[in-house]
Amino acid sequence: QVQLVESGGDLVQPGGSLRLSCTTSGNIFSIYVMGWYRQAPEKQRELVARITTGQSTMYADSAKGRFTISMDNARNTYLQMNNLRPEDTALYYCSADTPRNTYWGQGTQVAVFS
């Protein structure tokens, strides 16, 4: 089992920055990929960024050049978000892939508006 707790969501103005954190616990060394997803109201959940334990990263087109995903040795994962836009408003979820399951946190809310 893996437990994930997200934090760092907030209300910010366009152009602002936030750093989301995902704190892991449990069988963390079974994790091989960590990810950040988001879900806006009335929209499907979508991938924002992923990182492997080998530090390989991938980003959604909407995140490229503005967001940076990182992970420490304890699999805690971070999402640095710069130049935020109103369309980034969503509930942001952390995910952890293991050989048997994908685990999810409860989400942290990001709201971007003037």
Side-chain angles (χ1 to χ4, degrees):
Q1 292 280 341
V2 173
Q3 294 79 43
L4 306 173
V5 178
E6 302 96 333
S7 61
D10 205 344
L11 168 63
V12 294
Q13 293 187 338
S17 297
L18 284 175
R19 185 175 190 246
L20 305 184
S21 297
C22 176
T23 302
T24 63
S25 60
N27 190 16
I28 62 170
F29 293 109
S30 66
I31 298 170
Y32 60 89
V33 177
M34 294 290 296
W36 283 99
Y37 290 74
R38 67 187 184 187
Q39 187 167 16
E42 301 182 357
K43 291 189 176 181
Q44 290 189 335
R45 190 175 299 189
E46 63 178 5
L47 173 68
V48 177
R50 301 180 82 199
I51 185 167
T52 71
T53 52
Q55 300 293 320
S56 294
T57 59
M58 69 156 290
Y59 295 90
D61 287 344
S62 59
K64 288 178 182 176
R66 299 188 301 130
F67 296 0
T68 303
I69 189 170
S70 60
M71 179 171 63
D72 64 24
N73 289 337
R75 310 295 194 265
N76 299 315
T77 302
Y78 309 92
L79 187 67
Q80 177 66 42
M81 305 189 294
N82 298 325
N83 192 21
L84 284 160
R85 304 165 179 166
E87 53 264 40
D88 295 318
T89 295
L91 188 59
Y92 282 71
Y93 295 92
C94 175
S95 70
D97 290 343
T98 71
R100 289 193 171 189
N101 287 301
T102 295
Y103 296 90
W104 296 90
Q106 294 300 304
T108 185
Q109 182 68 47
V110 172
V112 185
F113 61 89
S114 301

